[in-house]
Amino acid sequence: MDGYLGSYATLGLVAAAGVLVFVGAFAANKLLRPAAPAEPPGKYVSYESGIDPVGGDWAQAQIRYYVYAYLYVLFAVEAVFLFPWAVVFDRPGFGWATVTEMGVFVAVLALGILYAWRKKILTWT
């Protein structure tokens, strides 16, 4: 498929194939499933590790676990930004400007961890 609209035609064919696979899967499910599925006793009863639940279904989680998870994700994602910098740092034309930019970036990270430390968010009680 050449020409201006060739890539759009390819995209349209791939989208149509995806829709056909989707519709075909649902049609096969409709044709092959049992007419009256059995519902054994206790099918909708929840259980933990093979044991029937005892007590209520409400449990309170402490907020500090969420704070640890949030801080981990925050600093892990920001640490990922160090890898592209390390790749382009050695290339010509990326001199002190990239060092300065990364210094500012690491300083902001350090301020964030210092703030969390000073607010005693990182202390385990």
Side-chain angles (χ1 to χ4, degrees):
M1 297 192 181
D2 297 333
Y4 180 72
L5 297 176
S7 59
Y8 290 113
T10 304
L11 178 66
L13 287 174
V14 169
V19 168
L20 283 175
V21 167
F22 182 78
V23 170
F26 272 93
N29 183 28
K30 181 84 170 162
L31 291 173
L32 298 176
R33 74 176 176 90
E39 291 192 20
K43 178 177 180 181
Y44 296 110
V45 175
S46 61
Y47 64 94
E48 285 280 327
S49 303
I51 302 171
D52 290 332
V54 177
D57 59 350
W58 185 80
Q60 184 176 4
Q62 295 195 10
I63 189 66
R64 69 172 168 243
Y65 301 124
Y66 296 109
V67 171
Y68 283 117
Y70 178 73
L71 286 175
Y72 171 75
V73 168
L74 179 73
F75 287 108
V77 167
E78 288 183 353
V80 169
F81 290 122
L82 294 173
F83 293 111
W85 174 77
V87 169
V88 301
F89 176 69
D90 196 25
R91 294 186 181 164
F94 293 96
W96 286 105
T98 56
V99 172
T100 305
E101 289 172 358
M102 193 47 61
V104 169
F105 180 74
V106 170
V108 169
L109 283 178
L111 283 175
I113 196 86
L114 182 66
Y115 176 78
W117 190 11
R118 295 280 302 216
K119 289 288 188 177
K120 300 200 186 313
I121 293 173
L122 299 177
T123 57
W124 188 266
T125 58

